[in-house]
Each structure stands twice: as structure tokens, then as C-alpha cells.
């Protein structure tokens, strides 16, 4: 949404308030350094009444954000307010965000997974609530755009993962690496840089790199068209380059069918786009997860390993030991909660966030996880509010 004027913002807020929509729907690590906040924290008192507003992608873009929101809502009740947001409707995104922060009890606005237009929404919100803590997970806009408007934004460290994923693939026996994406994603700086690093690392370690273009799931072809392409193309690639061909895709909608096709045709999958035992593996392998285990990564890993062993595919796929989406979702919420309580006093405290990430990951995985949380670096620039995180991979 372009150039919203203050006058228009005031009108939108007034309309929202009139309609009563103020609260939406009812390890070993590499610690960063504390970065001073550009906006001072408001006066806070531990244990006071407050709300944390959450906007998240709907289930069409992956179930994990929805599941994480539901868990937090069940645990914290009225403290958590918010809703899913519509894909590609920036005006609705802005108006929903404004409605949430118009409630004076809201102390933080969290956006998962950050879509195009989120920066405009946060800018609009800052016009009326500069005191609110603004955080997000997963970057869909350029780093220069989001770094200047969010207090903290977390993303899997896409650029350095371009190197680590290829080196993992090499250890798994990869001889050819196929990168699936489409022009809209390759116009995103971080995704394009990761692709370039993957290609360079392939050259360094002796892997053939193949750049393959799929239909865009947001085009007329839709998600179905993208999935059908991947299902049909992977067996062709394996036939052409051999069983030690590794595959990687940049879009969540590809993951289920990518796992399915790789397992059926004997390729390699060193990582999904957002590493997680839940992303692509359970549905791609037709594994039924009981409701009471739907957020248990330890259980999911055990089931995946057992199924891969049955299919003689052990050691051919890999992921992180916990859901990346649920890890950053839960960690950001805990950070926001501690900020609202007054335990954390700076809006951007990398050291505190690193500690929280490490604790949450260990609890989720039931083991000591290595989580690396560092300021984002790109094109010779270091971003102070945009942070990338990585974990050690688990070969399944």
C-alpha cells in the first residue's frame, strides 16, 4: 500500500474503533550483542494487564503458524489477540494491524510469516502507537525495508544457509544439486543471494548446479500447478543426473510433493525451505500424527526415521530437529511477553533473544540444540534489527 497519509490513517483508526474491532479475533550458541533501541521502552510494571497481538499466515501457507497461534491462545487466553491475514491484500493487512494496536492494552504486535506490505502496516501503526514493540518472523521484503521499521525481525539465516546446505548435501553424497524457484522469489534479495551462494559452493566442492524454474504458486497456475510441476520434474532430473541428485525449493507449497517425489524416485533432500520435521515430511510420507503429538518434534522425527528406514531411504533426507516456524514464533512471543512484563527493557536486545531461542529449542527437541542467532549481513552491510538463525541439521 503506497504513501498512506496521516489524515487517512486517522480516519481508518476512527472507523475501526467505531466498529469495535480493537482486539482482532477473540544449546551452545553464538550470542549477539545488545543493540540499543531507537525507540525508548514505555514505563512497564511486572505482572500488569497487557495484550500481545499476533497476525499470522493462514493454513494455506503452512499449518505451523496457525498451530503455534492456537497453542499460545489456549495457554494465555485473553493475553493473546489477533487473527490470520489474507494473502496479497495489503489494505486489509494495514487496517487489521491498525485495529489491533488501537487497543491501548496491546504492548506488542507480532507478524508471522511477514508478507509483502508488512513494513507499510508497521509504519502506519507507528503513527498512532510508537510505544508498541513490533516484531516479525520470516522476511518477504528486502532487508533495507524491514530493518528500519521493525524492532526485531527473525528469519532463518537464508544467506549463510546457502553454504551450509550445500556442504551438508556433499556429505550426504550429492553429485548434482537442483534449485527450484520462480522469478517473484528470485527478485527477493535474500533468496537470490542464497541461490548464488549455493551455486558458488557447488562449484567449490565439485557439485553440478542446476537452476530450475517452476510455476509461481501465486500465478494463474496456483499451488496445484507448482506441485504438479515438481512431481513430474523430479523423476526426470533423477533419470538424467542419477540418484545422488539433491533437491531444494524456495516455497512452502513445494515441500510435501518434493519429499514424496524424492523418496519415490531415490534422490536426496538436504533441507526444506523452512527446516522442520513437520514441513513436507509427515504429509509427503503419509504419516498420521495424533492430535496430541501435533507439535511434538521428537515424536515426528521418530516416525519419519522409521518410515524412511522402511523405504530404504535412511540418510537421504535431513532437517532441523525442531520446527523453525514454531521455534521463532514461540521465541518471539516469549520475548514480547518478557518485554511487556518489564523483564526485558530494550526493544532490541539480541543477547536476551538468543538466550530465549536456545532455551525454547532445547525444550522442543528434548536435547541440547546448537542455535546460532546473529545480525543479518548482506552486500557488506550489517542489519541491527534483522537477525538470522541457524541450527545443526539432523540427517534422518
Amino acid at each position: 500500500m503506497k504513501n498512506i497519509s496521516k489524515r487517512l490513517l486517522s480516519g481508518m483508526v476512527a472507523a475501526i474503533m467505531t466498529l469495535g474491532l480493537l482486539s482482532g479475533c477473540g544449546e551452545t550458541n553464538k550470542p549477539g550483542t545488545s543493540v540499543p533501541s531507537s525507540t525508548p521502552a514505555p514505563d512497564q510494571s511486572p505482572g500488569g494487564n497487557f495484550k500481545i497481538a499476533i497476525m499470522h499466515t493462514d493454513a494455506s501457507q503452512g499449518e505451523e503458524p496457525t498451530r503455534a497461534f492456537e497453542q499460545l491462545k489456549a495457554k494465555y487466553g485473553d493475553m493473546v489477540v489477533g487473527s490470520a491475514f489474507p494473502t496479497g491484500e495489503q489494505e486489509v493487512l494495514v487496517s487489521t494491524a491498525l485495529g489491533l494496536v488501537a487497543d491501548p492494552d496491546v504492548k506488542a504486535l507480532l507478524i508471522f510469516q511477514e508478507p509483502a506490505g508488512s513494513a507499510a502496516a508497521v509504519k502506519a501503526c507507528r503513527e498512532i502507537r510508537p510505544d508498541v514493540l513490533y516484531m516479525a518472523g520470516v522476511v518477504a521484503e528486502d532487508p533495507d525495508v524491514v530493518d528500519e521499521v521493525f524492532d526485531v525481525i527473525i528469519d532463518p539465516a537464508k544467506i549463510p544457509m546457502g553454504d551450509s546446505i550445500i556442504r551438508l548435501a556433499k556429505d550426504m553424497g550429492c553429485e548434482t544439486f537442483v534449485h527450484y524457484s520462480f522469478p517473484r522469489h528470485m527478485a527477493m534479495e535474500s533468496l537470490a543471494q542464497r541461490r548464488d551462494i549455493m551455486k558458488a559452493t557447488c562449484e567449490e566442492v565439485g557439485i553440478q548446479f542446476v537452476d530450475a524454474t517452476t510455476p509461481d504458486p501465486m500465478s494463474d497456475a496456483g499451488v496445484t500447478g507448482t506441485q504438479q510441476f515438481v512431481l513430474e520434474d523430479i523423476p526426470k532430473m533423477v533419470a538424467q543426473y542419477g540418484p545422488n541428485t539433491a533437491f531444494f525449493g524456495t516455497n512452502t507449497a513445494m515441500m510435501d510433493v518434493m519429499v514424496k517425489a524424492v523418496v519415490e524416485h531415490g534422490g536426496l533432500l538436504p533441507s526444506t525451505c523452512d527446516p522442520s520435521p513437520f514441513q513436507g515430511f509427515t504429509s509427503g510420507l503419509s504419516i498420521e500424527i495424533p492430535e496430541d503429538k501435533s507439535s511434538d518434534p521428537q515424536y515426528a522425527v521418530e516416525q519419519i526415521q522409521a518410515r524412511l528406514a522402511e523405504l530404504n531411504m535412511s540418510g537421504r533426507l535431513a532437517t532441523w530437529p525442531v520446527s523453525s516456524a514454531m521455534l521463532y514464533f514461540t521465541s518471539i512471543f516469549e520475548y514480547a511477553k518478557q518485554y511487556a512484563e518489564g523483564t526485558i527493557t530494550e526493544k532490541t536486545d539480541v543477547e536476551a533473544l538468543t538466550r530465549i531461542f536456545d532455551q525454547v529449542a532445547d525444550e522442543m527437541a528434548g536435547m541440547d540444540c546448537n542455535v546460532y542467532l546473529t545480525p543479518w549481513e548482506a552486500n557488506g552491510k550489517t542489519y541491527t534489527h534483522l537477525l538470522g538463525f541457524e541450527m545443526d541439521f539432523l540427517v534422518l
Side-chain angles (χ1 to χ4, degrees):
M1 190 174 182
K2 299 180 180 178
N3 299 327
I4 303 175
S5 67
K6 292 185 179 180
R7 181 176 179 183
L8 177 57
L9 289 178
S10 300
M12 293 173 71
V13 174
I16 292 165
M17 294 178 69
T18 301
L19 291 171
L21 299 177
L22 299 183
S23 59
C25 2
E27 43 239 339
T28 301
N29 55 52
K30 297 178 182 176
T33 56
S34 178
V35 181
S37 170
S38 57
T39 305
D43 292 335
Q44 299 155 311
S45 58
N49 293 326
F50 61 84
K51 297 175 185 176
I52 297 175
I54 298 174
M55 298 172 62
H56 62 92
T57 51
D58 60 26
S60 69
Q61 299 299 308
E63 295 182 2
E64 291 167 73
T66 299
R67 191 183 306 131
F69 176 82
E70 291 171 349
Q71 288 181 345
L72 291 172
K73 183 67 176 174
K75 182 175 181 179
Y76 293 105
D78 292 341
M79 180 195 297
V80 177
V81 296
S83 66
F85 52 72
T87 301
E89 297 184 29
Q90 292 190 23
E91 291 190 8
V92 178
L93 183 68
V94 173
S95 63
T96 302
L98 284 168
L100 290 167
V101 302
D103 184 340
D105 289 336
V106 168
K107 304 303 180 185
L109 174 65
L110 316 181
I111 302 179
F112 309 95
Q113 303 178 9
E114 184 262 346
S118 294
V122 171
K123 284 182 179 178
C125 290
R126 284 192 184 277
E127 294 282 346
I128 59 169
R129 291 295 306 280
D131 58 303
V132 166
L133 172 68
Y134 295 98
M135 304 180 72
V138 177
V139 181
E141 299 174 285
D142 286 342
D144 286 326
V145 173
V146 296
D147 187 69
E148 67 179 15
V149 297
F150 283 93
D151 296 304
V152 178
I153 185 165
I154 295 290
D155 201 9
K158 294 184 180 72
I159 295 173
M161 283 174 68
D163 181 80
S164 59
I165 289 172
I166 297 301
R167 294 188 187 280
L168 173 62
K170 180 68 174 180
D171 291 342
M172 295 170 68
C174 174
E175 297 172 357
T176 302
F177 186 88
V178 179
H179 179 276
Y180 286 121
S181 193
F182 39 85
R184 178 173 60 85
H185 265 193
M186 289 298 92
M188 297 178 184
E189 182 181 357
S190 59
L191 300 187
Q193 287 190 40
R194 180 179 61 188
R195 186 269 316 276
D196 293 343
I197 289 174
M198 285 179 162
K199 184 176 181 179
T201 307
C202 279
E203 293 176 358
E204 178 186 337
V205 301
I207 294 175
Q208 182 177 0
F209 182 87
V210 178
D211 207 351
T213 301
T214 72
D216 187 332
M218 293 184 68
S219 69
D220 291 341
V223 169
T224 302
T226 303
Q227 293 177 333
Q228 189 62 35
F229 178 91
V230 171
L231 277 172
E232 295 175 356
D233 199 64
I234 284 179
K236 295 176 185 177
M237 292 290 187
V238 173
Q240 180 176 355
Y241 297 109
N244 289 330
T245 302
F247 297 89
F248 180 82
T250 65
N251 184 259
T252 302
M254 301 177 187
M255 297 302 104
D256 295 4
V257 294
M258 189 171 290
V259 169
K260 176 181 173 63
V262 165
V263 170
E264 288 182 354
H265 299 280
L268 295 165
L269 186 72
S271 178
T272 53
C273 60
D274 294 315
S276 164
F278 297 103
Q279 189 185 64
F281 289 97
T282 53
S283 55
L285 295 171
S286 299
I287 296 173
E288 294 291 334
I289 302 291
E291 183 63 30
D292 63 336
K293 299 290 186 181
S294 63
S295 301
D296 185 344
Q298 300 171 58
Y299 180 84
V301 166
E302 291 171 359
Q303 303 308 305
I304 294 165
Q305 289 176 325
R307 181 62 55 84
L308 292 177
E310 292 174 3
L311 299 170
N312 296 316
M313 285 293 289
S314 296
R316 306 283 292 176
L317 295 87
T319 189
W320 285 348
V322 302
S323 158
S324 60
M326 296 190 76
L327 173 60
Y328 69 70
F329 201 129
T330 305
S331 298
I332 289 176
F333 179 86
E334 180 60 29
Y335 182 97
K337 178 174 173 289
Q338 291 188 26
Y339 174 82
E341 292 170 337
T343 305
I344 294 173
T345 58
E346 295 181 354
K347 286 189 171 183
T348 310
D349 187 336
V350 179
E351 185 175 355
L353 187 57
T354 300
R355 182 182 66 253
I356 291 170
F357 256 80
D358 196 56
Q359 293 171 346
V360 171
D362 288 354
E363 291 172 3
M364 284 183 172
M367 58 186 285
D368 185 18
C369 293
N370 293 320
V371 181
Y372 312 111
L373 181 64
T374 54
W376 195 279
E377 295 184 3
N379 297 324
K381 180 177 179 180
T382 299
Y383 296 90
T384 56
H385 301 105
L386 173 56
L387 307 171
F389 72 94
E390 291 187 80
M391 298 185 68
D392 289 344
F393 279 92
L394 175 66
V395 178
L396 300 164

